[in-house]
Amino acid sequence: MSSPKRSRDLCGSLIVVEPNPKQRREQAPTRLTMDAPPSSRLVAREPVSPETSPEPSTTTNIIPQEQPKTGIPKSAMLRDAQLLKYKFPESQWAPNIKELDFLSRGMRVMVSIQKIPSGNGCSLRSERFWVNILHVKRQEQEVKWVIGRVEDDLQHFRLREGRKIRFETRHVCNVDDMFELSQRHERFLMESEQAKRRKKE
């Protein structure tokens, strides 16, 4: 009597295949049992057919795919304008983050994109571009995210005119009509102050 053959399943677990020389290939495959004590032995799942099992992809994507819901290539990222202003106040400028809560559809904002930093921390190419706002998602008064359309083709990144991207207010490094944005913020502060005074009276 031949001894059972030991092998490993797709998950790497040790399995024992009970030999059955009389069984033909046309019949159902031999049952597999886990190498475990009799009291806890369970029947393992049958192996997946090579015709249906997925094979790992061997192709390499030369063109970067876009990140879901952002429209930004995987090899790039939007720069945090608020963080840059905090770290380098003498050379970097960005609008007041509170004023950016008053962005609305139709306004033009500038954002900056750069290559994702490599492991050695080298500084990489960056590029600024204008975006026309199409939609602003708010939670109460605060802006959560913005969807806009790229106005020009970028020179160093795979972003073309008309491409829709999603970003946050921290990514905005400039606004086309800063005067209007500031006026909206000031009106909001005045109305809030008047409302507080009416409550006290």
Side-chain angles (χ1 to χ4, degrees):
M1 182 175 181
S2 60
S3 59
K5 295 182 179 180
R6 294 174 178 268
S7 61
R8 294 186 179 272
D9 61 1
L10 298 177
C11 298
S13 303
L14 184 63
I15 59 175
V16 179
V17 181
E18 301 293 344
N20 189 355
K22 295 182 181 181
Q23 189 177 24
R24 296 179 179 273
R25 291 184 178 180
E26 292 77 15
Q27 297 175 348
T30 306
R31 275 192 168 185
L32 306 179
T33 56
M34 301 296 295
D35 188 14
S39 59
S40 60
R41 182 171 296 176
L42 300 175
V43 178
R45 292 186 296 179
E46 297 176 354
V48 181
S49 170
E51 299 178 357
T52 59
S53 60
E55 297 181 357
S57 175
T58 58
T59 59
T60 303
N61 294 328
I62 300 177
I63 300 177
Q65 297 180 356
E66 295 173 358
Q67 297 179 0
K69 300 181 181 180
T70 63
I72 304 298
K74 284 186 176 181
S75 61
M77 59 183 289
L78 293 176
R79 305 178 75 190
D80 191 330
Q82 297 296 321
L83 180 61
L84 291 173
K85 181 177 70 171
Y86 174 78
K87 287 186 174 182
F88 312 102
E90 296 181 357
S91 59
Q92 299 291 331
W93 181 86
N96 187 321
I97 191 66
K98 294 184 180 296
E99 292 183 351
L100 292 174
D101 285 331
F102 296 89
L103 292 174
S104 61
R105 178 188 176 101
M107 299 188 77
R108 296 172 68 243
V109 297
M110 178 178 286
V111 296
S112 180
I113 189 174
Q114 73 171 36
K115 292 284 186 180
I116 294 179
S118 56
N120 56 12
C122 294
S123 59
L124 299 171
R125 189 191 305 272
S126 64
E127 187 173 354
R128 295 186 176 190
F129 58 99
W130 287 100
V131 179
N132 190 291
I133 295 178
L134 300 176
H135 177 71
V136 178
K137 174 65 177 178
R138 300 181 186 276
Q139 184 175 354
E140 297 181 353
Q141 182 60 31
E142 182 181 356
V143 174
K144 303 302 293 182
W145 45 263
V146 181
I147 293 179
R149 180 182 289 113
V150 179
E151 292 194 348
D152 297 299
D153 294 344
L154 273 65
Q155 296 182 1
H156 308 293
F157 296 86
R158 297 187 64 84
L159 281 178
R160 298 292 179 260
E161 179 182 358
R163 170 70 67 183
K164 292 181 181 180
I165 64 170
R166 174 174 167 173
F167 55 94
E168 301 175 22
T169 54
R170 62 188 176 93
H171 297 131
V172 176
C173 57
N174 203 349
V175 180
D176 184 32
D177 195 348
M178 276 301 306
F179 178 77
E180 174 63 23
L181 196 67
S182 300
Q183 289 295 312
R184 293 180 183 182
H185 185 221
E186 291 179 4
R187 284 196 297 267
F188 172 77
L189 295 177
M190 291 177 59
E191 292 173 358
S192 300
E193 186 65 24
Q194 293 175 359
K196 290 180 181 179
R197 292 177 180 176
R198 285 195 294 268
K199 287 184 179 180
K200 290 181 180 180
E201 294 175 358

